[in-house]
Amino acid sequence: MDLFGDLPEPQHAVSERQPPGPAAPESSVKRRRDEEQETEKTKRMCQEGLLRLQGFVSESQGERDEMEDTHVMLSDLRELGLDQVPAHISKVSYYAVFDGHGGSRASRFAADHLHKYLIRNFPRGKTGNLEQQIKKCLVDSFRQTDEEFLKKASRQKPAWKDGCTATCVLVLDRTVYVANLGDSRAVLCRVEQTDGSQRSVVLALSQEHNPTIYEERMRIQRAGGTVRDGRVLGVLEVSRSIGDGQFKRCGVISTPDLRRCQLTHKDRFLLVACDGLFKVFSPEEAVKLVLQILQDGGQLDSATHQLCSEAVRRGSGDNVTVMLLSVTNPDQAVSPADFS
């Protein structure tokens, strides 16, 4: 299965807005009106058969002294100022989980600011290669979030040493972009038909970053850092993060891995969670538990709570944040049997 294959080129683009000026000739006004009508027609066509995402989240402080995780669920970034979206895109959603360490300031800063940089950097008007522009938007937004937090952290007395991981899901209609750094994860539950029966498969949508991975360790060592006991300088468990200013000179970067997939009617839900869950659950185990809850008549909101509670019961002493994003067709009724 080519989960992350190339996207087709955009079919339509929004006409660039013109600054106020002298009254346009009648033919120009008519042409502009026709273009606006065509744009609205394109958006209506894009909305037909559009899959709907709905987010549910549960969190637990666990045995930690402080809740250092944060999360964001924004169903439509246009409501926060994202304008001039390319004409073939009718909705832009954003979901994220940030897992803090050394304090909660980095994760709170990322939760407050990263989506604002996304809105600022988002491609507008006529677009060429939209996929490349979205990737650049994500990478630039992560970099800016990191740089601005580090500036703020360095001005404090004493300087803040907080850091955080990040897993962000940006959804453009049916296209899902996942940008992540650190050890939080995102997975997709998809139902496939094989030999007349259905089976659920778990598809990884993120890449874990820790200093024991060869490429990560080599980058850290080339920068003059060391890896001891599976940690950068024997201290930091992750090799990419936002914040952690004292480790940036050792090769710890804020560049996310990027993955993309197209949602289909075979998809049931996305699971986004911090390592507090995955320390005691494999992705397959977590998805299996959610499917069992749904098959027993439960809903995704209760599944998030039960999954979070079960992680604590299994001995995860870390903060735990679990986010589930249901994938449904608004034109069809959904029953628990659909998730079996």
Side-chain angles (χ1 to χ4, degrees), residues 147-160:
E147 290 175 351
E148 291 305 312
F149 176 74
L150 291 176
K151 289 178 183 178
K152 184 175 183 178
S154 65
R155 293 194 295 264
Q156 310 305 313
K157 302 296 182 182
W160 294 345

Side-chain angles (χ1 to χ4, degrees), residues 1 35 47 65 84-85 92 144 172 174 281 290 320 322:
M1 178 187 303
E35 289 174 351
Q47 288 174 343
D65 295 333
Q84 300 184 48
V85 176
V92 181
Q144 291 167 0
L172 282 61
R174 291 192 178 200
F281 271 98
V290 173
V320 179
V322 175

Side-chain angles (χ1 to χ4, degrees), residues 121-241:
N121 296 326
F122 199 86
R124 286 169 166 78
K126 293 183 178 180
T127 59
N129 189 326
L130 181 62
E131 178 188 357
Q132 290 302 320
Q133 293 185 31
I134 293 294
K135 288 181 177 180
K136 184 178 186 304
C137 168
L138 286 163
V139 171
D140 289 348
S141 299
F142 270 69
R143 174 180 52 79
Q144 291 167 0
T145 302
D146 182 50
E147 290 175 351
E148 291 305 312
F149 176 74
L150 291 176
K151 289 178 183 178
K152 184 175 183 178
S154 65
R155 293 194 295 264
Q156 310 305 313
K157 302 296 182 182
W160 294 345
K161 297 184 177 181
D162 307 44
C164 74
T165 69
T167 299
C168 300
V169 179
L170 184 67
V171 188
L172 282 61
D173 293 340
R174 291 192 178 200
T175 305
V176 176
Y177 292 89
V178 177
N180 85 286
L181 46 79
D183 52 11
S184 297
R185 300 187 190 183
V187 299
L188 173 67
C189 175
R190 174 171 290 175
V191 174
E192 292 187 338
Q193 195 82 17
T194 53
D195 300 327
S197 61
Q198 290 186 340
R199 70 183 185 96
S200 300
V201 296
V202 179
L203 303 172
L205 299 184
S206 59
Q207 173 66 49
E208 189 173 4
H209 303 122
N210 68 68
T212 62
I213 297 172
Y214 177 78
E215 293 82 0
E216 301 293 297
R217 187 172 72 251
M218 289 300 99
R219 186 187 67 250
I220 290 166
Q221 291 178 349
R222 285 195 298 268
T226 60
V227 177
R228 298 196 307 272
D229 300 323
R231 298 170 179 245
V232 181
L233 302 185
V235 178
L236 185 64
E237 286 188 81
V238 294
S239 53
R240 303 191 192 193
S241 66

Side-chain angles (χ1 to χ4, degrees), residues 30-44:
K30 182 179 184 302
R31 184 169 59 253
R32 187 176 304 169
R33 187 185 305 118
D34 290 343
E35 289 174 351
E36 291 174 352
Q37 291 174 350
E38 181 65 24
T39 296
E40 291 304 315
K41 179 181 178 182
T42 299
K43 289 188 175 183
R44 287 195 300 270

